[in-house]
Each structure stands twice: as C-alpha cells, then as structure tokens.
C-alpha cells in the first residue's frame, strides 16, 4: 500500500455520492455567481483509498497557492474533506477559457499538480458545462506511470495499483521533509 494513502477506504457508492455532491455544489456556486467560472480542484487517485495526511497537507498547500494567485478574482469558495477525497471549488470572476488556459499552465509548472484535477466549469445556457482539454485542443492528460493517455490507461487498467501508488508517493513526497 502507498505510504501517502493512509486514509479509510471508500465504496463505489460513496464515490458516486461525492461526485453528485460536487456537481450540486458547482451548480449552486454558478447559480449564485452566473457570470463566474468555477475551478473544481480534486486529486486523481485510483483505488479505494483516496486520502492521507500527506495528500491532505499538499492539497491545502495547493489551495493556498491558488488563493494567492487568484484571490483577487475569488467570489466564493466551498471545500469538502472526507474519505472520498479532498475537494475545493473556487468561483472566480474570469472567463472559463482564460481560467482553463491558466490551469493547464499550472499543471505543468507545479509538480504536485500532476495529481490534481483542475477542472473548469461554467453555465452555458443555464446548463452546467465543463471545459475539457479536448475542447481546448490540448493533448489528453498524461498517465502518471507511462506518460500515455491517462484515460486510456485507466480504462484498460494497464498499470496495477501498486505501480500507480509508487508514482503517487514520489510526487506527493517530492520536497517534503519526513
């Protein structure tokens, strides 16, 4: 097992409920701030354990950095920290295309962001819409293990959990004094 994944295991039902709750929170933020973009920050951790002390600490550091960089645009914020994983949603006064461009750059510049999903959503005709990498004409997210298409590797279960956990440990512990 991974040394950074020391939280409780979650069920598929808990993960689906967390996804529904995230969607409802995004909708609520955008209803309150219809011209905003919502930055939804989660971690891409496969398997039944989604949390751990190191990951929660590094996630908090990432959110602090995002607040420093985008606090002048911050309209509202929601956070949730439970066994399904850490989640922060920031409603920002910026257009979704510019925010997604900035988050793509963030993913490249911040090593820990290899583990982060920095999703951007907005209202389009009153409907919650997520701005995808493909819509931005950007290459798919790289696999943590082999650098290929992360979704393809995940769907095919190309790499075992232990191989993925090894990389997650390396990324999460990079620069951390233990």
């Amino acid at each position: 097992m991974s040394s950074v994944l020391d939280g409780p295991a979650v069920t598929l039902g808990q993960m689906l409920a967390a996804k529904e709750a995230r969607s409802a929170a995004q909708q609520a933020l955008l209803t309150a701030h219809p011209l905003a973009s919502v930055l939804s920050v989660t971690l891409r951790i496969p398997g039944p354990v989604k949390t751990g002390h190191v990951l929660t600490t590094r996630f908090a550091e990432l959110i602090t950095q995002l607040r420093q960089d985008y606090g002048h645009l911050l309209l509202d914020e929601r956070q949730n920290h439970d066994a399904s994983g850490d989640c922060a949603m920031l409603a920002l006064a910026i257009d979704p295309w510019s925010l997604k461009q900035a988050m793509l750059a963030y993913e490249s510049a911040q090593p820990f962001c290899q583990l982060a999903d920095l999703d951007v959503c907005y209202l389009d005709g009153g409907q919650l819409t997520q701005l995808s990498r493909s819509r931005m004409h950007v290459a798919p997210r790289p696999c943590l293990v082999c650098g290929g298409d992360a979704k393809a590797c995940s769907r095919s279960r190309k790499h075992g959990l232990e191989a993925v956990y090894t990389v997650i440990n390396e990324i999460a512990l990079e620069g951390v004094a233990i």
Side-chain angles (χ1 to χ4, degrees):
M1 184 57 125
S2 166
S3 65
V4 300
L5 294 168
D6 56 8
V10 293
T11 65
L12 178 59
Q14 288 172 305
M15 287 307 302
L16 292 173
K19 185 176 180 179
E20 286 293 320
R22 264 194 314 278
S23 181
Q26 290 166 345
Q27 185 71 47
L29 281 169
L30 287 167
T31 298
H33 308 283
L35 299 178
S37 297
V38 170
L39 173 61
S40 181
V41 184
T42 57
L43 297 179
R44 56 184 200 150
I45 307 294
V49 178
K50 307 291 186 187
T51 63
H53 176 72
V54 170
L55 286 176
T56 297
T57 300
R58 299 298 307 270
F59 183 86
E61 291 169 357
L62 173 59
I63 299 307
T64 297
Q65 186 64 53
L66 285 165
R67 275 196 214 106
Q68 286 175 358
D69 294 344
Y70 297 96
H72 63 288
L73 302 171
L74 185 62
L75 303 170
D76 204 347
E77 177 179 357
R78 308 253 170 102
Q79 288 199 37
N80 186 51
H81 306 278
D82 61 26
S84 67
D86 297 305
C87 175
M89 284 171 268
L90 310 174
L92 300 166
I94 185 173
D95 73 274
W97 294 85
S98 296
L99 181 57
K100 186 66 175 181
Q101 279 298 124
M103 291 305 102
L104 291 170
Y106 229 76
E107 288 173 2
S108 301
Q110 306 283 338
F112 183 71
C113 285
Q114 294 174 73
L115 298 180
D117 271 332
L118 302 171
D119 296 329
V120 174
C121 57
Y122 62 100
L123 290 179
D124 184 10
Q127 296 294 315
L128 182 67
T129 304
Q130 184 172 329
L131 189 52
S132 67
R133 293 172 76 91
S134 63
R135 197 156 163 218
M136 297 284 295
H137 304 288
V138 175
R141 194 80 189 262
C143 171
L144 294 171
V145 177
C146 71
D149 181 339
K151 285 185 182 179
C153 288
S154 178
R155 269 192 305 273
S156 69
R157 297 181 187 231
K158 182 176 180 179
H159 314 289
L161 279 179
E162 287 305 314
V164 178
Y165 287 165
T166 297
V167 176
I168 289 171
N169 275 337
E170 290 169 4
I171 294 168
L173 294 172
E174 185 176 329
V176 174
I178 298 178

